[in-house]
Amino acid sequence: MLGRRRRRLRRAAWTAVAIAAAAAAGGALLYRATRPDVRRPGEALPEITSRLSRGLPPDAPEPSFTDVTAAAGLGDFVAFRGARSSQLPEDMGSGAAWGDWDGDGDDDLFLVSAGGPLGVPDGELAPSLLYENRGDGGFRPAAGFPDTRIHGMAAAWGDYDGDGRLDLALSGFDTLRLYRNHGASLVRDPAFAAPPGFWAGVTWGDFDNDRDLDLYVCGYVRYAPDVAAGAGVTLQYGTAVPFTLNPASFEPERNLLYRNDGAAGFAEVAAELGVANPTGRSLGALWHDFDGDGWLDLYVANDISDNALYLNRRGRGFADAGLAAWVADYRGAMGLAAGDWNRDGDDDLFVTHWVAQENALFDSLAADARGAGGTAAAAGDGAAAGDEPPALRFTDVAAAHGLGQIALPMVGWGTAFADFDSDGWLDLAVANGSTFETADAPKRLVPQPPFLFWNQHGHHFHDLAPASPPLAEPIVGRGLAVADYDRDGDLDLLLVRLDGGARLLRNDVEQGHRLTLRLRSRTASGEALGRGDGATVIARAGGIVLRRTVTSASYLSQDSATVHLGLGAAAGVDALEVRWLGGAAQTFPALAGDAVWELAEGDPVPRRADEAAPADERARRAEFWAAHRAAMDALKVDGDVETAERLFRRALELDPDHEDARYYLANSLASQGRLDAALDQLDALRRSHPGSHRAHKQWGVLRARSATTAADLDAAEAALERALELNLEETGALLALAEIDLLRGRDREADRRLELVVRTHPRSVAGLFLRGYLAYARGAAAASRSLLAAARAARGEDRVPAGAAAEGEVRRRMHEEQTPLSEFWQAWDGETEPERAYAALRLRLAAGAPAAS
């Protein structure tokens, strides 16, 4: 019976492939018929525009969007600098990620640059940029992100260390990096090691429900750069294309799943858990609980290979249900979006495709199965056992609802479900841009206009873009992400152009009532510091049910995590339920609309947090941020610690509990040699923020440096041990504890700790230098010389590089990084002969630690 069923599934799959091939062939004929329109950059398609315009229903909204890119301060961003050399990594484009990285309540923006042609020096590539939202409708480049020039692709915000601050994953050709948020700066995490590869989409999700975020990384192809190989061509729909632009010319790259093990770091487990997808050329992935069992599933968009739907088996592994669920789509898949477009109680899936393939709207049948007495989760488990067909199935309804034929001439990329007019129905935005070259010299890519599909109450999607001048203009679109950047209650649209920079379109469409929700989920520490990743909101308003899930994929991009509910004519919601990922469902009472509400997991009382604050409160917040930013500039740019101290004190008068302001005030005082005053500020910070790792660490370091008694060192050790408990991955506290061991003559314990420092940080100058001392002290001169040479290599030719911190964790210091013995390894001149290198340190350690009073 099982064999017959599998044969039926295989026959069904081949039938689906044949149908898709026929559709593609038909699409190719249509493409050839319209090919001149596609190939001429900037040329309109009047027959399509007029047909769509005539078909708009009378209740369709006026698509009023305003291009505010330059006015908002984003005009300087460049997505690609230089002339193409017809190589695949140059043309895949890049994305954008919205997230409140500085914690001030509005979404900031990270823009990834594809850099430029392969083979040029890094300094000639356009940089990826972090833009800080000023809160007044504009942005400014954030000084807290290092100059980064890569062949970039994707970015995604996620608080992977659970400290309440958003960290950043960044991918690209031969690039995969994590940047940890230190409050005032994003610093590359040196403990994260990634293999070389062509890395595309990155997405955060807690697949094992342990309350920390795991990272899935899409591998595209195993590309071999060869600038001279452009003479070889392949034919794609009758067009000669350099084989270096054809993904079929290259073997697929495997995907990666980095399981977050907290203090132990990340473990790569994709193959072990069954999601490596080694035969797929993956561009994007979406974490989403499709079967409703409380565990995040994973859908992977593959180019010219089957898409995969991996159902989560309670964190122990995944089963590919793509074929059984009818979503193993063999087309050129790029962008992904999930949402309940027809309000039937389950989340559906939209996929963008390459030219002549139509886009797909996979309507979930899970709600139908539940209505018939089944449950998607139970049926999914049954399918794994081979007993019953799974209830989790989808059917492609794109053609029937206006999303199919219109996409045939287009190459679709980034996409998002969003209720742009707040009528309670999810609309759909799609970025388009061809992969075919123009006849120009140098060759460019053919631009295409994006889509803005208005959802006519679940019946049909109508493209409004031709009626909106900023959207009607053809571009070489790639990334797309939505957010309410100006906090006026509606969702705005950000497009990334490979033929330019970013395009920020402010939403000026007439709106219904709406509700904005900021979710605060519990992290592994138990504090409500998360953004509600993976949570589902179900609201009842005026007799209708609205469903939203905190998730994002798009193409190389990430939408805001803030939940937007369009209410239409309803003035508020009658009841609201939040199904927290990995936690219980929680109900909240009626909430007024046209407001921003903050909901914390486990807290039954919603908190109103909208921008309709009293004028004096808005003025106070504005003054706080003006003082704080000026203080940071004084500290970091000018090195003026006295001015920084004054401005941080003013900021704390306006917000006494602000962690960053108090921490950097303490550093300003320490830089002036006022250690007692600095310790007092850090003590206050430890009381107000007991989970602040850096407060305990810095207090311990300063106490150790100023210790006059054994009791002082005991207190320093206790503070540093607490810092280590809070964050076992950060090695600064471990290094300071090792140096206290050295001061107290505990060489064996010091060596154990330093070995851990170097294992985590192989290029730790301090760790290598001090391990070399211990080797020298026990008479192992050869080992000492080897460690000194390694420390010298880690430091580089610049013996004391300006702006390098003790552990290599920041490139620009907010203050002079100090540990109990930092003066010795910081002053080291690179000498590799132990007798001379350690002369001063030997004398200091011979004096011993302070004695008991």
Side-chain angles (χ1 to χ4, degrees):
M1 179 178 177
L2 178 59
R4 287 197 301 274
R5 178 175 172 271
R6 286 176 174 167
R7 285 194 295 274
R8 286 198 301 271
L9 285 173
R10 282 197 294 270
R11 285 198 297 272
W14 282 112
T15 300
V17 169
I19 292 171
L29 294 175
L30 173 63
Y31 172 73
R32 289 191 183 100
T34 60
R35 178 177 160 190
D37 297 315
V38 175
R39 288 183 58 84
R40 294 191 186 117
E43 186 175 29
L45 300 178
E47 72 285 357
I48 293 179
T49 301
S50 60
R51 183 173 69 248
L52 291 174
S53 299
R54 287 195 304 270
L56 290 180
D59 55 342
E62 185 69 27
S64 299
F65 284 82
T66 304
D67 188 341
V68 295
T69 309
L74 302 177
D76 292 336
F77 172 72
V78 177
F80 189 92
R81 177 177 292 158
R84 299 170 56 256
S85 61
S86 295
Q87 299 199 71
L88 191 60
E90 300 170 353
D91 289 1
M92 301 310 295
S94 56
W98 291 104
D100 184 9
W101 90 280
D102 54 7
D104 64 353
D106 50 32
D107 280 312
D108 308 297
L109 178 63
F110 190 85
L111 291 173
V112 187
S113 175
L118 296 187
V120 304
D122 288 351
E124 296 180 16
L125 300 176
S128 298
L129 296 175
L130 173 62
Y131 285 93
E132 175 189 353
N133 192 330
R134 298 196 311 251
D136 58 0
F139 295 82
R140 61 173 150 240
F145 187 71
D147 185 64
T148 299
R149 298 170 188 266
I150 58 174
H151 299 285
M153 290 196 72
W157 296 104
D159 179 15
Y160 70 83
D161 54 2
D163 64 355
R165 295 189 291 262
L166 288 178
D167 311 302
L168 185 71
L170 179 61
S171 72
F173 178 63
D174 207 17
T175 297
L176 182 59
R177 302 178 181 182
L178 292 185
Y179 290 87
R180 175 172 283 166
N181 190 336
H182 287 254
S185 60
L186 284 170
V187 178
R188 187 174 177 183
D189 187 343
F192 181 78
F198 191 168
W199 307 121
V202 290
T203 181
W204 295 99
D206 181 12
F207 81 88
D208 50 4
N209 282 358
D210 64 352
R211 296 299 180 127
D212 54 29
L213 291 177
D214 312 293
L215 180 66
Y216 192 75
V217 181
C218 294
Y220 189 34
V221 297
R222 297 179 181 175
Y223 186 79
D226 188 354
V227 177
V233 298
T234 58
L235 288 178
Q236 295 178 348
Y237 296 117
T239 299
V241 174
F243 82 90
T244 49
L245 292 178
N246 187 349
S249 302
F250 306 95
E251 293 297 316
E253 180 61 87
R254 86 285 195 193
N255 297 348
L256 309 172
L257 174 56
Y258 286 98
R259 184 183 63 211
N260 189 342
D261 291 333
F266 287 93
E268 204 289 293
V269 294
E272 174 186 338
L273 298 185
V275 291
N277 197 206
T279 60
R281 296 168 176 85
S282 303
L283 287 171
L286 171 68
W287 289 111
H288 202 92
D289 182 10
F290 285 107
D291 58 9
D293 65 352
W295 297 81
L296 288 178
D297 309 306
L298 184 67
Y299 189 79
V300 181
N302 290 323
D303 194 6
I304 60 171
S305 43
D306 283 338
N307 291 350
L309 172 60
Y310 294 110
L311 295 184
N312 190 339
R313 298 313 184 200
R314 304 185 68 82
R316 297 186 296 269
F318 294 81
D320 188 356
L323 180 62
W326 303 342
V327 290
D329 192 15
Y330 189 93
R331 283 183 272 185
M334 271 80 85
L336 298 173
D340 187 6
W341 71 276
N342 53 2
R343 299 201 317 209
D344 66 348
D346 52 31
D347 284 339
D348 311 299
L349 181 65
F350 182 76
V351 186
T352 62
H353 290 125
W354 197 55
V355 68
Q357 295 179 350
E358 298 192 351
N359 294 331
L361 177 59
F362 291 113
D363 186 47
S364 173
L365 305 180
D368 299 331
R370 288 194 293 271
T375 64
D381 290 340
D387 298 327
E388 298 292 337
L392 182 62
R393 284 181 176 166
F394 297 80
T395 181
D396 187 355
V397 297
H401 294 280
L403 300 175
Q405 184 175 356
I406 190 174
L408 281 171
M410 304 297 186
V411 179
W413 303 88
T415 185
F417 279 118
D419 187 355
F420 288 109
D421 58 350
S422 299
D423 67 347
W425 296 92
L426 287 174
D427 308 307
L428 189 61
V430 180
N432 295 315
S434 182
T435 56
F436 290 104
E437 298 177 324
T438 68
D440 302 338
K443 292 181 181 293
R444 296 178 173 83
L445 297 177
V446 176
Q448 297 176 327
F451 291 134
L452 180 68
F453 292 110
W454 174 66
N455 185 345
Q456 187 186 17
H457 304 161
H459 301 303
H460 198 80
F461 285 93
H462 299 271
D463 183 23
L464 306 184
S468 174
L471 287 165
E473 180 186 348
I475 61 172
V476 183
R478 292 297 186 262
L480 179 151
V482 298
D484 180 12
Y485 84 95
D486 51 2
R487 298 186 296 186
D488 64 352
D490 55 33
L491 292 173
D492 309 295
L493 182 62
L494 188 285
L495 297 163
V496 180
R497 305 176 46 184
L498 191 58
D499 60 340
R503 176 170 289 181
L504 179 61
L505 302 180
R506 188 186 65 214
N507 186 349
D508 296 324
V509 177
E510 184 176 350
Q511 300 288 310
H513 294 292
R514 59 265 193 179
L515 187 72
T516 300
L517 301 175
R518 296 176 186 162
L519 303 186
R520 294 289 178 259
S521 50
R522 301 283 169 181
T523 62
S525 68
E527 297 181 78
L529 298 174
R531 300 187 307 163
D533 295 275
T536 297
V537 173
I538 299 174
R540 291 165 176 80
I544 63 173
V545 178
L546 301 171
R547 176 188 179 94
R548 301 287 186 272
T549 300
V550 182
T551 185
S552 178
S554 190
Y555 173 75
L556 311 179
S557 301
Q558 183 182 48
D559 299 329
S560 169
T562 300
V563 177
H564 173 269
L565 290 167
L567 305 179
V573 298
D574 306 313
L576 188 139
E577 178 186 4
V578 179
R579 298 176 182 175
W580 302 99
L581 181 67
Q586 187 176 358
T587 58
F588 294 90
L591 297 176
D594 301 318
V596 181
W597 294 91
E598 186 172 289
L599 308 179
E601 184 177 4
D603 186 345
V605 181
R607 185 179 73 86
R608 185 153 180 170
D610 59 322
E611 285 68 39
D616 57 345
E617 172 63 14
R618 293 198 301 272
R620 185 186 68 81
R621 295 303 302 167
E623 187 179 353
F624 166 82
W625 283 109
H628 183 72
R629 288 164 180 147
M632 295 301 297
D633 287 342
L635 188 62
K636 184 178 68 170
V637 178
D638 304 326
D640 185 349
V641 292
E642 291 85 0
T643 297
E645 176 196 347
R646 175 177 57 78
L647 290 167
F648 280 129
R649 289 191 185 278
R650 176 54 185 154
L652 286 167
E653 290 175 4
L654 297 161
D655 186 353
D657 291 329
H658 198 273
E659 181 182 359
D660 280 357
R662 196 165 297 280
Y663 178 76
Y664 287 112
L665 171 59
N667 289 340
S668 301
L669 293 166
S671 296
Q672 299 175 61
R674 297 158 60 188
L675 295 187
D676 288 342
L679 288 167
D680 289 344
Q681 293 295 331
L682 292 168
D683 253 336
L685 183 55
R686 293 200 296 170
R687 290 192 298 270
S688 62
H689 293 77
S692 173
H693 154 270
R694 58 182 177 167
H696 293 285
K697 172 195 166 186
Q698 190 69 351
W699 192 94
V701 167
L702 294 182
R703 181 77 285 171
R705 288 183 62 84
S706 61
T708 58
T709 67
D712 289 339
L713 279 184
D714 291 340
E717 280 191 285
L720 290 165
E721 291 283 7
R722 177 58 182 149
L724 201 57
E725 290 173 9
L726 290 168
N727 188 350
L728 287 171
E729 299 175 53
E730 200 277 333
T731 56
L734 192 62
L735 175 64
L737 284 166
E739 293 185 358
I740 291 175
D741 289 330
L742 284 171
L743 286 167
R744 288 184 149 171
R746 301 191 300 232
D747 287 6
R748 181 174 296 178
E749 180 64 12
D751 199 34
R752 183 189 70 82
R753 282 175 161 149
L754 290 170
E755 193 274 332
L756 289 174
V757 169
V758 174
R759 186 189 306 169
T760 304
H761 248 317
R763 296 182 63 81
S764 169
V765 175
L768 294 165
F769 178 84
L770 294 174
R771 290 203 79 199
Y773 170 79
L774 287 169
Y776 164 66
R778 62 176 179 263
S784 180
R785 292 188 188 95
S786 177
L787 287 161
L788 281 169
R792 177 171 173 164
R795 175 172 286 176
E797 291 302 317
D798 184 1
R799 295 286 180 263
V800 186
E807 287 305 291
E809 292 167 357
V810 294
R811 294 184 181 180
R812 297 177 180 177
R813 277 181 278 212
M814 296 293 108
H815 62 287
E816 185 71 18
E817 184 74 20
Q818 295 179 332
T819 57
L821 296 174
S822 58
E823 61 197 86
F824 296 98
W825 50 263
Q826 284 179 345
W828 172 55
D829 61 0
E831 171 63 59
T832 56
E833 182 56 45
E835 188 69 27
R836 291 189 292 271
Y838 295 121
L841 179 59
R842 184 178 69 250
L843 292 174
R844 171 64 186 89
L845 295 179
S853 57

